[in-house]
Every structure is written in structure tokens, then in C-alpha cells.
């Protein structure tokens, strides 16, 4: 029998990423449920027992994934922020492809009737900002990161001729309008969103003058 020795070319080997483990899948499911729960019902609405039940897991298994409830809240906020960023980005790119400026696209995507109606899939800052100052430790730090991320997003789309210091005011207007619209709901809420959209666009989305 002849044994052939074939030189091994490592450049030809594709290293496949390992499939997620059962524990990793469960962890991800818990965080996803919690990220919707805090946006729907606030920090107090994120009860460990209810979240584990909705995730299809036992209450006793919680501490195999998190050291504390605060640890879950931190990951849930981060997940919610990334989830909202993804949906906003999709909305912005769709509008930009239709010839709309990035600023107007973000305002229209954020101050959107569907965003008002589906809080558990929306902006975590708008859902939690009134509760954030009362948090402490890691939860408060992550809350501040979520606010900073929202400020950075708004600043990134402001027209070039606009003073970047306007970003906090624009951000506050967007978040506040969404909160009030959710409180009023229905036709009154939609009217608030429409007025806020038009006001921001009129002020900041004017054509450049050279």
C-alpha cells in the first residue's frame, strides 16, 4: 500500500465558527425577552420569573446565566439599543435611497406611527429615560451609554452646516415627542409626531446656501 503525503496548505482551510451552545442560545433568548420587557413595562416590569417563563426556561436556571438581575438589565439595554439601531438604520437607508437627506430620514424613521405603537421593539431611551436617573451602578452606566449612543446617532446625520451642539436639543425633541405621543396614543399621538417631524425638518433640513 502506498501512502501519499499531501502537503497541507493552511490558506486553503476555511475555519468554520463553532455553532452556539445550548447555554448560549438560552442566554440569548433570555436577553431578547428582557430587552422587550423593559421597553414595554420599564425596569420594574422586567421580573426574573416572568422573563424566564416567557423564554421557556425555569426560574432556577437564571443564575447559571447572570450574577444578578442588574446584570440582565445591562445586557437587555445593550441588546435593545442594538435592535433599535438596526431598525432605524434600515428605515434611514430606505428613505435615503428615495432621495431624502439622512437627517430627514432619521427624523421620519424615529418619529414614526409604528414606533409609537410598538414600544417593545422601539427606542430603549424613550421607554426608560424617566427611570434612568433613579438607577445605580452598572445599570446607570449602561443607561448613560444608551443616551450617548442616541446623541451620537443624531449628531452623525445633522447637515454639515448645522452646529453639532444642536444634537442634544434635536435628540431631546425626538425622544420627548415620542414619549408624549405614546401617552396620548391614537390620533392625538400621531398628530404630535407629525408636528415634531415637521418642526425639526423645517429648522434643520434646509438646503445649503453657498
Amino acid at each position: 500500500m502506498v501512502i501519499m503525503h499531501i502537503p497541507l496548505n493552511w490558506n486553503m482551510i476555511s475555519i468554520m465558527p463553532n455553532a452556539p451552545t445550548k447555554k448560549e442560545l438560552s442566554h440569548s433568548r433570555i436577553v431578547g425577552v428582557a430587552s422587550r420587557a423593559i421597553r414595554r413595562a420599564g425596569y420594574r416590569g422586567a421580573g426574573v420569573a416572568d422573563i424566564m417563563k416567557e423564554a421557556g426556561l425555569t426560574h432556577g436556571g437564571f443564575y447559571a446565566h447572570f450574577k444578578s438581575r442588574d446584570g440582565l438589565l445591562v445586557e437587555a439595554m445593550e441588546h435593545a439599543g442594538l435592535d433599535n439601531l438596526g431598525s432605524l438604520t434600515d428605515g434611514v437607508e430606505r428613505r435615503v435611497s428615495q432621495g431624502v437627506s439622512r437627517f430627514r430620514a432619521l427624523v421620519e424613521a424615529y418619529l414614526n406611527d409604528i414606533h409609537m405603537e410598538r414600544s417593545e421593539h422601539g427606542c430603549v431611551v424613550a421607554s426608560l429615560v424617566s427611570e434612568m436617573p433613579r438607577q445605580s451602578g452598572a445599570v446607570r452606566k449602561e443607561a448613560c451609554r444608551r443616551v450617548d449612543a442616541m446623541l451620537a446617532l443624531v449628531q452623525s446625520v445633522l447637515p454639515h452646516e448645522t452646529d453639532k451642539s444642536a444634537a442634544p436639543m434635536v435628540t431631546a425633541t425626538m425622544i420627548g415627542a415620542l414619549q408624549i405621543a405614546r401617552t396620548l396614543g391614537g390620533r392625538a399621538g400621531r398628530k404630535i409626531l407629525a408636528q415634531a417631524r415637521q418642526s425639526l425638518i423645517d429648522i434643520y433640513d434646509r438646503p445649503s446656501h453657498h
Side-chain angles (χ1 to χ4, degrees):
M1 180 177 64
V2 178
I3 300 176
M4 297 181 65
H5 295 280
I6 302 175
L8 189 60
N9 184 349
W10 289 101
N11 293 325
M12 297 174 62
I13 296 177
S14 176
I15 300 175
M16 299 297 291
N18 293 328
T21 65
K22 183 178 179 180
K23 182 176 181 179
E24 289 169 340
L25 289 172
S26 296
H27 188 98
S28 178
R29 191 159 66 249
I30 296 166
V31 173
V33 169
S35 78
R36 293 190 294 275
I38 59 175
R39 285 178 282 181
R40 179 177 62 244
Y43 291 115
R44 290 182 179 275
V48 169
D50 290 337
I51 287 170
M52 294 299 285
K53 182 179 179 180
E54 188 176 339
L57 300 165
T58 63
H59 186 185
F62 176 80
Y63 290 101
H65 295 275
F66 305 95
K67 292 182 178 179
S68 66
R69 179 174 174 274
D70 279 2
L72 171 61
L73 292 178
V74 168
E75 289 195 40
M77 278 191 288
E78 182 179 19
H79 183 280
L82 294 174
D83 179 49
N84 183 228
L85 178 61
S87 62
L88 280 177
T89 299
D90 288 344
V92 167
E93 294 305 324
R94 185 169 59 252
R95 288 168 172 81
V96 168
S97 70
Q98 297 168 355
V100 173
S101 72
R102 288 196 172 275
F103 176 80
R104 179 167 185 157
L106 178 62
V107 169
E108 291 179 343
Y110 190 91
L111 297 176
N112 182 285
D113 293 351
I114 295 176
H115 197 184
M116 176 187 77
E117 295 159 1
R118 301 180 64 195
S119 61
E120 69 174 21
H121 296 287
C123 177
V124 68
V125 177
S127 294
L128 296 173
V129 69
S130 63
E131 300 179 56
M132 286 174 172
R134 293 191 288 273
Q135 307 309 306
S136 59
V139 177
R140 176 67 179 271
K141 288 181 181 179
E142 182 59 32
C144 290
R145 281 194 285 270
R146 293 302 103 214
V147 173
D148 286 341
M150 186 66 193
L151 289 167
L153 176 61
V154 171
Q155 183 171 309
S156 73
V157 300
L158 282 173
H160 293 304
E161 66 274 15
T162 302
D163 188 339
K164 297 303 182 183
S165 65
M169 182 59 67
V170 174
T171 305
T173 300
M174 290 168 60
I175 292 171
L178 181 59
Q179 287 182 303
I180 294 172
R182 285 177 174 172
T183 300
L184 295 177
R187 181 180 298 177
R190 290 192 292 273
K191 184 177 180 180
I192 289 290
L193 292 183
Q195 290 174 334
R197 281 195 304 266
Q198 195 59 54
S199 177
L200 288 172
I201 289 168
D202 287 347
I203 295 170
Y204 296 102
D205 198 42
R206 292 172 295 187
S208 301
H209 298 287
H210 298 287

